[in-house]
Amino acid sequence: MLCGHKDLKESFFILAKRGSLSHGYIFFGEPQVGKFSFALSLANFLEAGDFNSKGKMLSEVLIIKDSGIDCVREIKNFLWQKPQNSQKRTVIIDNADLLTAEAQSAILKITEEPPEHALIILVVSNLNNILPPILSRLQKIYFPRISKNEISEFLIKDIGVKKDKAEELAVLAYGRPGRAMNLINNKELSEIDELAQKFLRFTGLNRSQFIKKLVDDQKEKPEILDQFFESLIVILRKDPVKNHQMIKSILSRLFLIKSYNVNKRLQIEAI
């Protein structure tokens, strides 16, 4: 199910019909604005003729969520097979900005001489973490936030949420339909939002004690750290100009935490 991005949908529909798709794209924009959903919907259209992915198993699509070099071997094996049910064999690399430098270098080699039927889509939140040669080789497609009305309409028609609740969620989503879905499915998310607000309010000793507790809590609930960073970025992006440096720092620290065995507490304190 796809929320918003009607202009992009029309453009890719025309490109696919004409057989004019590029061999590779970078879908970039804020988290949870629909980049991955759009990539999956495009793959669904190429294989099943429908731009609305309905959870059907696709035989010509490979989804990569790993960040290490091992995923590249899987990509090569997949792409060098000829498609049977689609005009393309599509690889979607989610959170590609978390790929190691070694993995990115190997993917660059694939993009330099891809099979004719290959389509590689990198889903990215932070372009700064992508190697410049990849940025120059693949077409970059920006995904903006979605309007409150579009999110509300999507929740009512596609998810079956009542109108009042849908309008409330659309406001809290801050233009990100993925966040709206999380608010429906995860009751703890509002608590994580409050943690992020506290972090921004606290200074000195209070902030240090808060960070220590957060890092201790994530040992039992590893997902809490990802959710904390996500909420922090959402709050700061209400005023992206004012908070530009802090957002950049958070994305940088998150990349280090995800990619290397670093001290989490020190990385959060460095923000």
Side-chain angles (χ1 to χ4, degrees), residues 60 62 72-84 89-91 106-120:
E60 309 290 359
L62 175 65
V72 179
R73 188 179 299 107
E74 187 178 3
I75 292 171
K76 285 182 178 178
N77 291 338
F78 177 82
L79 285 179
W80 263 261
Q81 300 174 48
K82 291 186 178 180
Q84 302 297 319
R89 294 217 98 192
T90 303
V91 172
I107 288 170
L108 175 61
K109 291 181 180 178
I110 297 176
T111 65
E112 288 172 346
E113 293 184 7
E116 186 178 350
H117 56 262
L119 174 59
I120 303 171

mmCIF file of all heavy atoms in Angstrom, residues 60 62 72-84 89-91 106-120:
data_model
loop_
_atom_site.group_PDB
_atom_site.id
_atom_site.type_symbol
_atom_site.label_atom_id
_atom_site.label_comp_id
_atom_site.label_asym_id
_atom_site.label_seq_id
_atom_site.Cartn_x
_atom_site.Cartn_y
_atom_site.Cartn_z
ATOM 1 N N GLU A 60 10.906 -11.987 -8.662
ATOM 2 C CA GLU A 60 11.975 -11.258 -9.346
ATOM 3 C C GLU A 60 12.510 -10.103 -8.496
ATOM 4 O O GLU A 60 13.080 -9.144 -9.012
ATOM 5 C CB GLU A 60 11.463 -10.712 -10.685
ATOM 6 C CG GLU A 60 10.782 -11.722 -11.588
ATOM 7 C CD GLU A 60 11.757 -12.754 -12.175
ATOM 8 O OE1 GLU A 60 12.959 -12.663 -11.887
ATOM 9 O OE2 GLU A 60 11.296 -13.624 -12.926
ATOM 10 N N LEU A 62 14.683 -9.014 -4.870
ATOM 11 C CA LEU A 62 15.533 -9.373 -3.738
ATOM 12 C C LEU A 62 15.623 -8.162 -2.820
ATOM 13 O O LEU A 62 16.033 -7.081 -3.244
ATOM 14 C CB LEU A 62 16.931 -9.776 -4.226
ATOM 15 C CG LEU A 62 17.966 -10.071 -3.128
ATOM 16 C CD1 LEU A 62 17.564 -11.297 -2.313
ATOM 17 C CD2 LEU A 62 19.359 -10.256 -3.732
ATOM 18 N N VAL A 72 26.595 -8.758 -0.894
ATOM 19 C CA VAL A 72 26.941 -8.473 -2.294
ATOM 20 C C VAL A 72 26.966 -9.758 -3.119
ATOM 21 O O VAL A 72 26.541 -9.778 -4.275
ATOM 22 C CB VAL A 72 28.292 -7.740 -2.384
ATOM 23 C CG1 VAL A 72 28.653 -7.476 -3.837
ATOM 24 C CG2 VAL A 72 28.228 -6.427 -1.612
ATOM 25 N N ARG A 73 27.452 -10.832 -2.529
ATOM 26 C CA ARG A 73 27.474 -12.124 -3.231
ATOM 27 C C ARG A 73 26.048 -12.551 -3.588
ATOM 28 O O ARG A 73 25.785 -13.043 -4.693
ATOM 29 C CB ARG A 73 28.139 -13.176 -2.354
ATOM 30 C CG ARG A 73 28.390 -14.511 -3.062
ATOM 31 C CD ARG A 73 29.073 -15.520 -2.152
ATOM 32 N NE ARG A 73 30.379 -15.034 -1.702
ATOM 33 C CZ ARG A 73 30.632 -14.608 -0.469
ATOM 34 N NH1 ARG A 73 29.667 -14.596 0.429
ATOM 35 N NH2 ARG A 73 31.829 -14.190 -0.136
ATOM 36 N N GLU A 74 25.133 -12.355 -2.651
ATOM 37 C CA GLU A 74 23.729 -12.691 -2.893
ATOM 38 C C GLU A 74 23.151 -11.836 -4.016
ATOM 39 O O GLU A 74 22.393 -12.325 -4.866
ATOM 40 C CB GLU A 74 22.927 -12.497 -1.597
ATOM 41 C CG GLU A 74 21.500 -12.981 -1.678
ATOM 42 C CD GLU A 74 20.750 -12.807 -0.364
ATOM 43 O OE1 GLU A 74 21.334 -12.248 0.599
ATOM 44 O OE2 GLU A 74 19.577 -13.223 -0.300
ATOM 45 N N ILE A 75 23.506 -10.555 -4.040
ATOM 46 C CA ILE A 75 23.031 -9.646 -5.084
ATOM 47 C C ILE A 75 23.535 -10.091 -6.453
ATOM 48 O O ILE A 75 22.781 -10.137 -7.436
ATOM 49 C CB ILE A 75 23.483 -8.201 -4.787
ATOM 50 C CG1 ILE A 75 22.769 -7.659 -3.548
ATOM 51 C CG2 ILE A 75 23.213 -7.294 -5.985
ATOM 52 C CD1 ILE A 75 23.313 -6.331 -3.055
ATOM 53 N N LYS A 76 24.819 -10.435 -6.546
ATOM 54 C CA LYS A 76 25.391 -10.885 -7.817
ATOM 55 C C LYS A 76 24.683 -12.132 -8.335
ATOM 56 O O LYS A 76 24.299 -12.211 -9.512
ATOM 57 C CB LYS A 76 26.885 -11.177 -7.637
ATOM 58 C CG LYS A 76 27.763 -9.945 -7.544
ATOM 59 C CD LYS A 76 29.228 -10.357 -7.420
ATOM 60 C CE LYS A 76 30.144 -9.151 -7.367
ATOM 61 N NZ LYS A 76 31.562 -9.563 -7.195
ATOM 62 N N ASN A 77 24.520 -13.114 -7.464
ATOM 63 C CA ASN A 77 23.869 -14.372 -7.869
ATOM 64 C C ASN A 77 22.451 -14.121 -8.361
ATOM 65 O O ASN A 77 21.981 -14.747 -9.319
ATOM 66 C CB ASN A 77 23.844 -15.356 -6.704
ATOM 67 C CG ASN A 77 25.227 -15.867 -6.345
ATOM 68 O OD1 ASN A 77 26.137 -15.835 -7.173
ATOM 69 N ND2 ASN A 77 25.406 -16.323 -5.117
ATOM 70 N N PHE A 78 21.776 -13.177 -7.717
ATOM 71 C CA PHE A 78 20.384 -12.879 -8.076
ATOM 72 C C PHE A 78 20.309 -12.143 -9.414
ATOM 73 O O PHE A 78 19.519 -12.502 -10.299
ATOM 74 C CB PHE A 78 19.741 -12.041 -6.974
ATOM 75 C CG PHE A 78 18.329 -11.613 -7.273
ATOM 76 C CD1 PHE A 78 17.263 -12.469 -7.052
ATOM 77 C CD2 PHE A 78 18.061 -10.337 -7.770
ATOM 78 C CE1 PHE A 78 15.966 -12.077 -7.330
ATOM 79 C CE2 PHE A 78 16.771 -9.937 -8.052
ATOM 80 C CZ PHE A 78 15.716 -10.814 -7.828
ATOM 81 N N LEU A 79 21.118 -11.113 -9.580
ATOM 82 C CA LEU A 79 21.021 -10.263 -10.766
ATOM 83 C C LEU A 79 21.462 -10.959 -12.047
ATOM 84 O O LEU A 79 20.969 -10.646 -13.131
ATOM 85 C CB LEU A 79 21.841 -8.983 -10.573
ATOM 86 C CG LEU A 79 21.250 -7.919 -9.647
ATOM 87 C CD1 LEU A 79 22.180 -6.734 -9.551
ATOM 88 C CD2 LEU A 79 19.869 -7.474 -10.117
ATOM 89 N N TRP A 80 22.391 -11.888 -11.941
ATOM 90 C CA TRP A 80 22.896 -12.519 -13.159
ATOM 91 C C TRP A 80 22.014 -13.671 -13.651
ATOM 92 O O TRP A 80 22.336 -14.325 -14.622
ATOM 93 C CB TRP A 80 24.342 -12.970 -12.959
ATOM 94 C CG TRP A 80 25.294 -11.961 -13.508
ATOM 95 C CD1 TRP A 80 25.918 -11.994 -14.703
ATOM 96 C CD2 TRP A 80 25.706 -10.727 -12.898
ATOM 97 N NE1 TRP A 80 26.690 -10.873 -14.879
ATOM 98 C CE2 TRP A 80 26.589 -10.074 -13.791
ATOM 99 C CE3 TRP A 80 25.416 -10.092 -11.686
ATOM 100 C CZ2 TRP A 80 27.182 -8.850 -13.519
ATOM 101 C CZ3 TRP A 80 25.999 -8.884 -11.410
ATOM 102 C CH2 TRP A 80 26.864 -8.269 -12.315
ATOM 103 N N GLN A 81 20.877 -13.871 -12.987
ATOM 104 C CA GLN A 81 19.865 -14.785 -13.514
ATOM 105 C C GLN A 81 18.858 -13.976 -14.336
ATOM 106 O O GLN A 81 18.505 -12.861 -13.973
ATOM 107 C CB GLN A 81 19.134 -15.507 -12.375
ATOM 108 C CG GLN A 81 20.042 -16.337 -11.475
ATOM 109 C CD GLN A 81 19.283 -16.892 -10.288
ATOM 110 O OE1 GLN A 81 18.197 -17.449 -10.432
ATOM 111 N NE2 GLN A 81 19.845 -16.735 -9.095
ATOM 112 N N LYS A 82 18.402 -14.542 -15.439
ATOM 113 C CA LYS A 82 17.445 -13.833 -16.282
ATOM 114 C C LYS A 82 16.047 -13.872 -15.677
ATOM 115 O O LYS A 82 15.634 -14.890 -15.134
ATOM 116 C CB LYS A 82 17.430 -14.445 -17.686
ATOM 117 C CG LYS A 82 18.703 -14.201 -18.465
ATOM 118 C CD LYS A 82 18.588 -14.699 -19.896
ATOM 119 C CE LYS A 82 19.857 -14.392 -20.684
ATOM 120 N NZ LYS A 82 19.767 -14.862 -22.089
ATOM 121 N N PRO A 83 15.314 -12.749 -15.777
ATOM 122 C CA PRO A 83 13.949 -12.724 -15.220
ATOM 123 C C PRO A 83 13.003 -13.599 -16.038
ATOM 124 O O PRO A 83 13.109 -13.680 -17.262
ATOM 125 C CB PRO A 83 13.558 -11.252 -15.324
ATOM 126 C CG PRO A 83 14.410 -10.700 -16.420
ATOM 127 C CD PRO A 83 15.701 -11.451 -16.371
ATOM 128 N N GLN A 84 12.069 -14.235 -15.348
ATOM 129 C CA GLN A 84 11.068 -15.080 -15.991
ATOM 130 C C GLN A 84 9.679 -14.439 -15.980
ATOM 131 O O GLN A 84 8.866 -14.686 -16.863
ATOM 132 C CB GLN A 84 10.994 -16.439 -15.278
ATOM 133 C CG GLN A 84 12.317 -17.189 -15.242
ATOM 134 C CD GLN A 84 12.833 -17.548 -16.616
ATOM 135 O OE1 GLN A 84 12.060 -17.962 -17.496
ATOM 136 N NE2 GLN A 84 14.139 -17.399 -16.830
ATOM 137 N N ARG A 89 14.971 -7.785 -13.019
ATOM 138 C CA ARG A 89 15.253 -8.394 -11.721
ATOM 139 C C ARG A 89 15.652 -7.241 -10.812
ATOM 140 O O ARG A 89 16.615 -6.525 -11.077
ATOM 141 C CB ARG A 89 16.381 -9.431 -11.795
ATOM 142 C CG ARG A 89 16.043 -10.649 -12.610
ATOM 143 C CD ARG A 89 16.631 -11.921 -12.000
ATOM 144 N NE ARG A 89 15.625 -12.634 -11.211
ATOM 145 C CZ ARG A 89 15.879 -13.628 -10.383
ATOM 146 N NH1 ARG A 89 17.130 -14.029 -10.191
ATOM 147 N NH2 ARG A 89 14.913 -14.221 -9.717
ATOM 148 N N THR A 90 14.881 -7.032 -9.759
ATOM 149 C CA THR A 90 15.013 -5.836 -8.931
ATOM 150 C C THR A 90 15.635 -6.157 -7.580
ATOM 151 O O THR A 90 15.165 -7.043 -6.865
ATOM 152 C CB THR A 90 13.634 -5.184 -8.711
ATOM 153 O OG1 THR A 90 13.034 -4.889 -9.982
ATOM 154 C CG2 THR A 90 13.770 -3.895 -7.910
ATOM 155 N N VAL A 91 16.684 -5.415 -7.235
ATOM 156 C CA VAL A 91 17.296 -5.495 -5.908
ATOM 157 C C VAL A 91 16.984 -4.212 -5.160
ATOM 158 O O VAL A 91 17.264 -3.114 -5.663
ATOM 159 C CB VAL A 91 18.822 -5.693 -5.996
ATOM 160 C CG1 VAL A 91 19.451 -5.585 -4.603
ATOM 161 C CG2 VAL A 91 19.157 -7.038 -6.611
ATOM 162 N N ALA A 106 31.877 -2.773 -3.402
ATOM 163 C CA ALA A 106 31.515 -3.950 -4.189
ATOM 164 C C ALA A 106 30.244 -3.698 -4.999
ATOM 165 O O ALA A 106 30.136 -4.131 -6.152
ATOM 166 C CB ALA A 106 31.323 -5.150 -3.260
ATOM 167 N N ILE A 107 29.289 -2.980 -4.420
ATOM 168 C CA ILE A 107 28.052 -2.649 -5.132
ATOM 169 C C ILE A 107 28.347 -1.681 -6.286
ATOM 170 O O ILE A 107 27.741 -1.766 -7.358
ATOM 171 C CB ILE A 107 27.020 -2.058 -4.155
ATOM 172 C CG1 ILE A 107 26.487 -3.168 -3.241
ATOM 173 C CG2 ILE A 107 25.864 -1.389 -4.902
ATOM 174 C CD1 ILE A 107 25.647 -2.678 -2.100
ATOM 175 N N LEU A 108 29.301 -0.780 -6.071
ATOM 176 C CA LEU A 108 29.700 0.147 -7.137
ATOM 177 C C LEU A 108 30.167 -0.619 -8.365
ATOM 178 O O LEU A 108 29.820 -0.264 -9.504
ATOM 179 C CB LEU A 108 30.811 1.072 -6.636
ATOM 180 C CG LEU A 108 31.413 2.026 -7.671
ATOM 181 C CD1 LEU A 108 30.350 2.976 -8.215
ATOM 182 C CD2 LEU A 108 32.576 2.806 -7.062
ATOM 183 N N LYS A 109 30.920 -1.678 -8.158
ATOM 184 C CA LYS A 109 31.406 -2.479 -9.282
ATOM 185 C C LYS A 109 30.246 -3.112 -10.050
ATOM 186 O O LYS A 109 30.287 -3.220 -11.280
ATOM 187 C CB LYS A 109 32.365 -3.560 -8.774
ATOM 188 C CG LYS A 109 33.679 -3.003 -8.251
ATOM 189 C CD LYS A 109 34.601 -4.111 -7.773
ATOM 190 C CE LYS A 109 35.913 -3.531 -7.242
ATOM 191 N NZ LYS A 109 36.822 -4.595 -6.730
ATOM 192 N N ILE A 110 29.215 -3.521 -9.329
ATOM 193 C CA ILE A 110 28.036 -4.095 -9.995
ATOM 194 C C ILE A 110 27.338 -3.038 -10.836
ATOM 195 O O ILE A 110 26.908 -3.301 -11.963
ATOM 196 C CB ILE A 110 27.058 -4.683 -8.951
ATOM 197 C CG1 ILE A 110 27.714 -5.843 -8.199
ATOM 198 C CG2 ILE A 110 25.765 -5.150 -9.621
ATOM 199 C CD1 ILE A 110 26.853 -6.411 -7.084
ATOM 200 N N THR A 111 27.225 -1.823 -10.301
ATOM 201 C CA THR A 111 26.530 -0.749 -11.032
ATOM 202 C C THR A 111 27.313 -0.284 -12.258
ATOM 203 O O THR A 111 26.743 0.334 -13.160
ATOM 204 C CB THR A 111 26.258 0.455 -10.115
ATOM 205 O OG1 THR A 111 27.505 1.048 -9.702
ATOM 206 C CG2 THR A 111 25.473 0.044 -8.875
ATOM 207 N N GLU A 112 28.609 -0.547 -12.277
ATOM 208 C CA GLU A 112 29.422 -0.125 -13.425
ATOM 209 C C GLU A 112 29.140 -0.969 -14.666
ATOM 210 O O GLU A 112 29.173 -0.462 -15.784
ATOM 211 C CB GLU A 112 30.911 -0.185 -13.051
ATOM 212 C CG GLU A 112 31.317 0.931 -12.077
ATOM 213 C CD GLU A 112 32.738 0.749 -11.567
ATOM 214 O OE1 GLU A 112 33.298 -0.358 -11.743
ATOM 215 O OE2 GLU A 112 33.282 1.700 -10.975
ATOM 216 N N GLU A 113 28.873 -2.261 -14.474
ATOM 217 C CA GLU A 113 28.553 -3.144 -15.601
ATOM 218 C C GLU A 113 27.409 -4.078 -15.211
ATOM 219 O O GLU A 113 27.593 -5.291 -15.093
ATOM 220 C CB GLU A 113 29.788 -3.957 -16.001
ATOM 221 C CG GLU A 113 30.920 -3.123 -16.580
ATOM 222 C CD GLU A 113 32.080 -3.973 -17.049
ATOM 223 O OE1 GLU A 113 31.936 -5.213 -17.052
ATOM 224 O OE2 GLU A 113 33.126 -3.408 -17.398
ATOM 225 N N PRO A 114 26.209 -3.511 -15.030
ATOM 226 C CA PRO A 114 25.084 -4.348 -14.601
ATOM 227 C C PRO A 114 24.505 -5.147 -15.764
ATOM 228 O O PRO A 114 24.634 -4.730 -16.933
ATOM 229 C CB PRO A 114 24.066 -3.313 -14.106
ATOM 230 C CG PRO A 114 24.338 -2.116 -14.958
ATOM 231 C CD PRO A 114 25.833 -2.102 -15.185
ATOM 232 N N PRO A 115 23.869 -6.280 -15.493
ATOM 233 C CA PRO A 115 23.133 -6.983 -16.545
ATOM 234 C C PRO A 115 22.043 -6.069 -17.109
ATOM 235 O O PRO A 115 21.545 -5.175 -16.414
ATOM 236 C CB PRO A 115 22.528 -8.183 -15.813
ATOM 237 C CG PRO A 115 23.347 -8.347 -14.591
ATOM 238 C CD PRO A 115 23.803 -6.985 -14.199
ATOM 239 N N GLU A 116 21.666 -6.275 -18.347
ATOM 240 C CA GLU A 116 20.678 -5.412 -19.008
ATOM 241 C C GLU A 116 19.347 -5.393 -18.270
ATOM 242 O O GLU A 116 18.644 -4.380 -18.256
ATOM 243 C CB GLU A 116 20.466 -5.884 -20.448
ATOM 244 C CG GLU A 116 19.565 -4.977 -21.260
ATOM 245 C CD GLU A 116 19.421 -5.440 -22.693
ATOM 246 O OE1 GLU A 116 20.176 -6.360 -23.095
ATOM 247 O OE2 GLU A 116 18.569 -4.896 -23.413
ATOM 248 N N HIS A 117 18.995 -6.518 -17.642
ATOM 249 C CA HIS A 117 17.694 -6.622 -16.972
ATOM 250 C C HIS A 117 17.746 -6.223 -15.497
ATOM 251 O O HIS A 117 16.771 -6.385 -14.772
ATOM 252 C CB HIS A 117 17.193 -8.072 -17.074
ATOM 253 C CG HIS A 117 18.168 -9.068 -16.524
ATOM 254 N ND1 HIS A 117 19.038 -9.775 -17.323
ATOM 255 C CD2 HIS A 117 18.432 -9.457 -15.255
ATOM 256 C CE1 HIS A 117 19.787 -10.570 -16.575
ATOM 257 N NE2 HIS A 117 19.434 -10.391 -15.305
ATOM 258 N N ALA A 118 18.874 -5.688 -15.025
ATOM 259 C CA ALA A 118 19.032 -5.367 -13.602
ATOM 260 C C ALA A 118 18.423 -4.014 -13.251
ATOM 261 O O ALA A 118 18.510 -3.054 -14.016
ATOM 262 C CB ALA A 118 20.507 -5.377 -13.223
ATOM 263 N N LEU A 119 17.816 -3.975 -12.078
ATOM 264 C CA LEU A 119 17.336 -2.717 -11.497
ATOM 265 C C LEU A 119 17.761 -2.722 -10.028
ATOM 266 O O LEU A 119 17.337 -3.579 -9.266
ATOM 267 C CB LEU A 119 15.821 -2.584 -11.616
ATOM 268 C CG LEU A 119 15.184 -1.367 -10.910
ATOM 269 C CD1 LEU A 119 15.751 -0.067 -11.448
ATOM 270 C CD2 LEU A 119 13.661 -1.392 -11.057
ATOM 271 N N ILE A 120 18.596 -1.768 -9.662
ATOM 272 C CA ILE A 120 19.112 -1.680 -8.292
ATOM 273 C C ILE A 120 18.592 -0.396 -7.664
ATOM 274 O O ILE A 120 18.784 0.692 -8.209
ATOM 275 C CB ILE A 120 20.651 -1.682 -8.278
ATOM 276 C CG1 ILE A 120 21.188 -2.935 -8.989
ATOM 277 C CG2 ILE A 120 21.184 -1.612 -6.852
ATOM 278 C CD1 ILE A 120 22.688 -2.899 -9.214
#
